[in-house]
Amino acid sequence: MNPPNGSAAPPGSGASTVPAVPPQPGPPPRPAAPRPTGPAAQAAPPRRTAFAEGVDRLRASATTEPGRLRAIGAVLALLVVAFGAVTAWQTAERAAAADAVLHRSQPLSSAAADIYRSLADANTAASSGFLAGGQETAATRERYERDIDTAAAKLVTAANNAEPGSASTGAVTKLNTLLPEYKGLVERARTYNRQGFPVGGAYLRYANQKMQQEMLPAAEDLYKRENQRLRDDYGDATPYPWAAIALGALALAALAWAQHRTYRRTNRVLNHGLVAATAAVTAVLLWLVVGHTLARAGLNDSYDHGVRSLNALHDARIASLKARGNENLTLVARGAETVKRGGETVDRYDSDFAEEMGLLGRDLARAARIADDGAGREPVASAEGNMAEWKKRHTAARAQDDNGNYRQALAMVIGAEGATGECFDSVDANLAKALDHEQDEFRRAAGDGSDSFDGLPVGAAVLAVLGAAGALSGIGRRLSEYR
């Protein structure tokens, strides 16, 4: 018989003396989560990219003062270096354009004007020699040959400096083709003229027609294009480098803010590195503004009192040469060439002479207005006086020719004394003197402008690197206080 619950087992019964413990109630077992099956069972958890982790670290670092200092140092160094790079780039471009004005564009413009002048003068010398017939002087012949050689040499210079396939190259090629044709016509005219054949005059008029209608327009086109290239180089050299100036002002403002921030947090008035960076940026900015202002002033002066004067004088010289050629051809043609102007029939060459003399007067007046010193005004005033006398003598010569006194008219045009040729030679000599003076003025002013850029691109780059190093050094000094 089993004992009742709670009573001890009788001795010797072999039963355990440990009382039985009833089971305690516990929480119900949790059901097992279902295990994933299929491709999801093998997929690894997504990993973050290095960029995202770097952004997180940067964001965390920016919440600390050392992190902020590192960011400030990087921004300051970047601004200073960018300022130096843009300054070097913009000033290098302007320095190259200023050098082109001085050593390429303006000399080529003058060379193109010399081509035009040489061709027109050769045409004038040819007509003068033709009028002299068998009495042609050695000086006249030499002048013609010298003009042809000068035109050929200047064409070589223009061809070497023109861009392949450009309109200037086309004009040079055309002139190189027409020049020997013109020389051949002049030689035929001289040959027939010495033999007394009237056909010589027809050949000379044909040569003049080729010169006036084909060669001189091509030379004028070349002259205008070279002048446009000169204006383009001025346009590249003179504008202010606003991008560099703006970056310099921004870099100075950033450096001032960084130093003010340092002062408020540390009560230290100066941070040597930031002060050095500020000094470097200030030096570059002042150098940039002052240097470019001086360069701009010199280049503008070279254009206003150099290029403009040269253009007016070149135009005046060309007008005088064309007028002289037409005056000679009036006697060569002897009324064979007429044209209707103003409702009446007039001698073509005499009418052209009057037109060119009007242009000569206009160009001389323009040159006198532009001239800014006595050395420039004096030869122009002398040329104006020579022109006035030339008109008087021409009127007298035309009166003799109209009255049938051809020999007297011829002597009054190409004679040794008191002829219109003396007036023409005086006009040409005075214009040549004025051109030499204005050319010197141009070289001086343009040279001063170009010299103002010397060292600026390299100096700006070097000072910018030193400024960036100073900014990093100043920020690094503050960072060392946190180690």
Side-chain angles (χ1 to χ4, degrees):
M1 179 178 180
N2 292 328
N5 291 337
S7 60
S13 64
S16 172
T17 59
V18 179
V21 179
Q24 300 294 323
R30 298 177 61 183
R35 299 184 64 180
T37 60
Q42 288 83 24
R47 296 182 58 185
R48 303 192 67 204
T49 64
F51 176 77
E53 293 177 355
V55 170
D56 287 345
R57 286 195 297 268
L58 184 62
R59 186 182 296 111
S61 175
T63 60
T64 66
E65 182 61 14
R68 296 189 188 97
L69 289 174
R70 291 188 185 94
I72 291 171
V75 171
L76 290 177
L78 181 62
L79 278 175
V80 174
V81 169
F83 168 52
V86 173
T87 299
W89 165 54
Q90 290 195 312
T91 53
E93 281 192 338
R94 284 157 177 76
D99 185 74
V101 165
L102 181 60
H103 296 112
R104 189 191 66 182
S105 304
Q106 198 282 324
L108 284 176
S109 176
S110 291
D114 286 341
I115 291 172
Y116 196 113
R117 186 202 64 78
S118 298
L119 292 175
D121 194 52
N123 199 46
T124 299
S127 61
S128 297
F130 185 90
L131 286 173
Q135 305 300 319
E136 181 181 9
T137 64
T140 302
R141 179 70 179 182
E142 182 183 351
R143 180 172 183 169
Y144 168 79
E145 295 292 347
R146 183 175 63 249
D147 286 332
I148 293 296
D149 292 341
T150 299
K154 296 293 184 179
L155 283 172
V156 171
T157 301
N160 290 336
N161 290 276
E163 296 180 0
S166 65
S168 295
T169 301
V172 171
T173 302
K174 182 178 181 179
L175 287 170
N176 278 324
T177 302
L178 292 173
L179 189 58
E181 296 179 8
Y182 172 80
K183 290 177 62 180
L185 291 171
V186 170
E187 291 307 319
R188 287 187 181 184
R190 281 180 172 150
T191 300
Y192 288 124
N193 189 44
R194 284 194 297 266
Q195 295 174 2
F197 296 151
V199 72
Y203 271 106
L204 186 64
R205 291 196 300 273
Y206 184 40
N208 176 74
Q209 181 180 353
K210 184 175 287 290
M211 176 66 73
Q212 298 290 343
Q213 297 182 7
E214 297 182 61
M215 298 178 70
L216 290 183
E220 183 178 10
D221 181 63
L222 178 63
Y223 175 53
K224 289 180 178 179
R225 291 186 183 279
E226 294 303 332
N227 270 347
Q228 183 58 51
R229 186 196 296 196
L230 176 60
R231 287 191 291 270
D232 291 343
D233 284 336
Y234 269 107
D236 291 338
T238 54
Y240 271 105
W242 292 116
I245 293 174
L247 273 175
L250 181 61
L252 279 180
L255 286 167
W257 173 82
Q259 291 175 85
H260 180 68
R261 183 181 186 275
T262 300
Y263 169 72
R264 291 184 60 186
R265 290 176 178 268
T266 64
N267 287 328
R268 295 171 185 167
V269 177
L270 297 178
N271 180 295
H272 293 164
L274 295 179
V275 169
T278 303
V281 172
T282 302
V284 174
L285 189 57
L286 287 176
W287 191 0
L288 171 64
V289 173
V290 174
H292 190 275
T293 300
L294 293 175
R296 181 187 176 95
L299 290 170
N300 285 339
D301 184 57
S302 72
Y303 186 84
D304 292 336
H305 302 294
V307 173
R308 291 177 62 220
S309 292
L310 288 169
N311 288 342
L313 292 169
H314 281 308
D315 292 343
R317 201 174 189 190
I318 290 168
S320 70
L321 288 164
K322 293 173 74 174
R324 178 59 177 173
N326 285 316
E327 184 178 45
N328 290 341
L329 285 167
T330 302
L331 295 176
V332 172
R334 304 184 72 171
E337 297 282 346
T338 59
V339 66
K340 283 193 174 183
R341 288 179 181 169
E344 59 179 311
T345 301
V346 297
D347 185 284
R348 175 176 182 175
Y349 297 114
D350 192 45
S351 176
D352 289 344
F353 168 84
E355 182 178 349
E356 294 300 334
M357 290 298 280
L359 293 176
L360 173 60
R362 183 200 65 185
D363 293 331
L364 287 174
R366 179 160 58 102
R369 287 195 304 270
I370 298 173
D372 60 337
D373 57 5
R377 285 190 292 267
E378 180 183 351
V380 175
S382 298
E384 288 178 318
N386 300 143
M387 181 191 69
E389 181 63 23
W390 185 0
K391 287 182 177 180
K392 293 178 182 178
R393 295 185 184 183
H394 175 80
T395 301
R398 292 306 309 142
Q400 291 292 332
D401 189 33
D402 291 341
N403 291 330
N405 300 321
Y406 178 78
R407 290 295 176 183
Q408 289 83 345
L410 185 62
M412 296 177 70
V413 172
I414 64 171
E417 294 182 3
T420 59
E422 287 183 343
C423 299
F424 162 72
D425 290 338
S426 297
V427 169
D428 194 65
N430 280 305
L431 289 176
K433 182 179 178 181
L435 280 166
D436 288 340
H437 172 73
E438 297 299 338
Q439 188 71 40
D440 291 339
E441 290 289 295
F442 164 80
R443 291 194 189 99
R444 178 193 57 77
D448 291 343
S450 181
D451 291 344
S452 298
F453 285 116
D454 286 350
L456 181 52
V458 175
V462 171
L463 286 175
V465 171
L466 294 177
L472 292 176
S473 174
I475 297 298
R477 185 67 179 269
R478 287 280 294 118
L479 282 172
S480 67
E481 299 172 0
Y482 290 88
R483 295 171 185 166

